[in-house]
């Protein structure tokens, strides 16, 4: 029977991947929303529309710290699961690759 630790590693690797994507997408959304608001101001769009877009930006800005915290937690949880005696397994290798690929952004 397979080591139950491998299943946990595989799950936590997926959690880290998802957390990394969420964080990355919200950071991209922040940039695009800021650019859109600036464009709306430049072309003289209605103040109500701009206000609503600023509200959307504020929601994105509130999500980024949560995403970063989730990403840090996911990294820590995965690092705790990695034992040297599992180095030869595919799950271990995938987890190490994911830890190298997904970094906590500086925002």
């Amino acid at each position: 029977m397979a080591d139950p630790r491998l299943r946990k590693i595989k799950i936590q690797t997926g959690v880290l991947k998802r957390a990394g994507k969420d964080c990355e997408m919200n950071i991209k959304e922040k940039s695009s929303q800021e650019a859109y608001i600036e464009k709306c101001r430049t072309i003289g769009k209605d103040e109500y529309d701009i206000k609503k877009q600023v509200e959307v930006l504020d929601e994105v800005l509130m999500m980024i710290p949560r995403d970063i915290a989730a990403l840090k937690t996911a990294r820590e949880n995965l690092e705790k699961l990695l034992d040297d005696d599992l180095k030869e397994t595919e799950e271990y290798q995938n987890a190490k690759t994911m830890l190298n690929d997904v970094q906590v952004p500086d925002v």
Side-chain angles (χ1 to χ4, degrees), residues 3-93:
D3 192 334
R5 294 178 296 173
L6 295 178
R7 177 171 157 73
K8 289 181 182 180
I9 289 173
K10 189 173 184 179
I11 290 169
Q12 284 301 315
T13 301
V15 169
L16 178 61
K17 184 176 182 180
R18 178 79 256 152
K21 284 183 179 181
D22 287 346
C23 193
E24 181 182 332
M25 290 307 296
N26 277 330
I27 290 171
K28 285 181 182 178
E29 178 69 21
K30 173 187 170 252
S31 298
S32 67
Q33 194 64 30
E34 288 172 338
Y36 182 71
I37 290 170
E38 190 58 39
K39 178 182 171 190
C40 288
R41 287 185 175 138
T42 302
I43 63 172
K45 209 161 188 184
D46 186 44
E47 277 302 311
Y48 178 79
D49 292 336
I50 294 172
K51 180 181 174 187
K52 286 299 176 185
Q53 293 304 315
V54 170
E55 288 176 13
V56 170
L57 176 62
D58 289 342
E59 289 177 14
V60 170
L61 291 174
M62 287 188 303
M63 294 297 290
I64 292 174
R66 184 198 62 86
D67 289 340
I68 290 173
L71 184 58
K72 286 179 181 177
T73 302
R75 285 184 63 83
E76 290 168 4
N77 291 342
L78 184 55
E79 287 169 349
K80 288 178 189 174
L81 291 174
L82 296 180
D83 291 331
D84 287 339
D85 60 331
L86 299 173
K87 275 187 178 179
E88 302 303 316
T89 64
E90 180 183 352
E91 288 82 357
Y92 182 93
Q93 298 299 323

